[in-house]
């Protein structure tokens, strides 16, 4: 049997080609820091301004919708290593340092 290399083969379909969150208009920090499972990420997100929180929610919802429809975000709304902004990472690092310091005081 001949295996098609166009689209039906696992690993070569839509999701394999377009699996990066940036192609769905989702920033790296939106995808990596899961506030449902990580209390530090939840605290860090609470320190980000309200506008960025709303934009994050919008990007995640739109990315989910685009994934369901098997579409990509327009090129000007896609994020890659060259145009992505790590908006949550500095806050996450600060919260983690504060938690480590609190743990040290608790262990003292």
């Amino acid at each position: 049997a001949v295996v098609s290399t166009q689209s039906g083969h696992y690993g070569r379909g839509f999701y394999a080609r377009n699996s990066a969150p940036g192609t769905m208009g989702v920033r790296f920090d939106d995808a990596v820091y899961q506030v449902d499972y990580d209390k530090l990420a939840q605290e860090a997100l609470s320190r980000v301004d309200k506008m960025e929180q709303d934009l994050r929610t919008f990007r995640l919802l739109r990315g989910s919708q685009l994934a369901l429809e098997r579409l990509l975000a327009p090129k000007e709304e896609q994020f890659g290593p060259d145009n992505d902004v790590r908006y949550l990472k500095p806050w996450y690092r600060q919260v983690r340092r504060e938690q480590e310091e609190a743990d040290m005081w608790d262990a003292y």
Side-chain angles (χ1 to χ4, degrees), residues 5 24 35 45-46 52 55 61 65-66 76 80 84 86 92 95 100 103 105 108:
T5 59
M24 300 292 179
V35 296
L45 187 62
S46 72
E52 190 62 48
L55 288 172
L61 289 172
Q65 183 65 34
L66 289 171
E76 61 274 3
D84 199 354
R86 300 294 304 271
Y92 188 85
V95 169
E100 289 170 355
D103 291 343
W105 280 106
Y108 180 66

Side-chain angles (χ1 to χ4, degrees), residues 29-46 56 88-89 91-93 95-96 99:
D29 283 0
D30 297 340
V32 170
Y33 297 106
Q34 299 294 324
V35 296
D36 295 335
Y37 306 110
D38 188 353
K39 291 190 183 285
L40 296 179
Q42 189 175 18
E43 175 62 28
L45 187 62
S46 72
R56 178 182 193 271
L88 196 55
K89 186 175 183 177
W91 292 109
Y92 188 85
R93 284 183 173 170
V95 169
R96 188 175 58 202
Q99 183 64 44

Side-chain angles (χ1 to χ4, degrees), residues 17-100:
R17 288 189 313 274
N18 305 301
S19 62
T23 59
M24 300 292 179
V26 177
R27 291 186 179 210
F28 183 80
D29 283 0
D30 297 340
V32 170
Y33 297 106
Q34 299 294 324
V35 296
D36 295 335
Y37 306 110
D38 188 353
K39 291 190 183 285
L40 296 179
Q42 189 175 18
E43 175 62 28
L45 187 62
S46 72
R47 297 181 184 191
V48 174
D49 66 338
K50 179 75 169 125
M51 176 63 98
E52 190 62 48
Q53 291 176 13
D54 292 343
L55 288 172
R56 178 182 193 271
T57 302
F58 173 76
R59 288 189 300 265
L60 289 172
L61 289 172
R62 182 187 58 183
S64 297
Q65 183 65 34
L66 289 171
L68 286 172
E69 296 176 1
R70 294 186 174 205
L71 297 173
L72 299 178
K75 287 286 186 189
E76 61 274 3
E77 295 178 13
Q78 292 184 9
F79 297 103
D82 55 338
N83 67 344
D84 199 354
V85 176
R86 300 294 304 271
Y87 69 95
L88 196 55
K89 186 175 183 177
W91 292 109
Y92 188 85
R93 284 183 173 170
Q94 180 179 348
V95 169
R96 188 175 58 202
R97 281 193 305 267
E98 291 171 2
Q99 183 64 44
E100 289 170 355

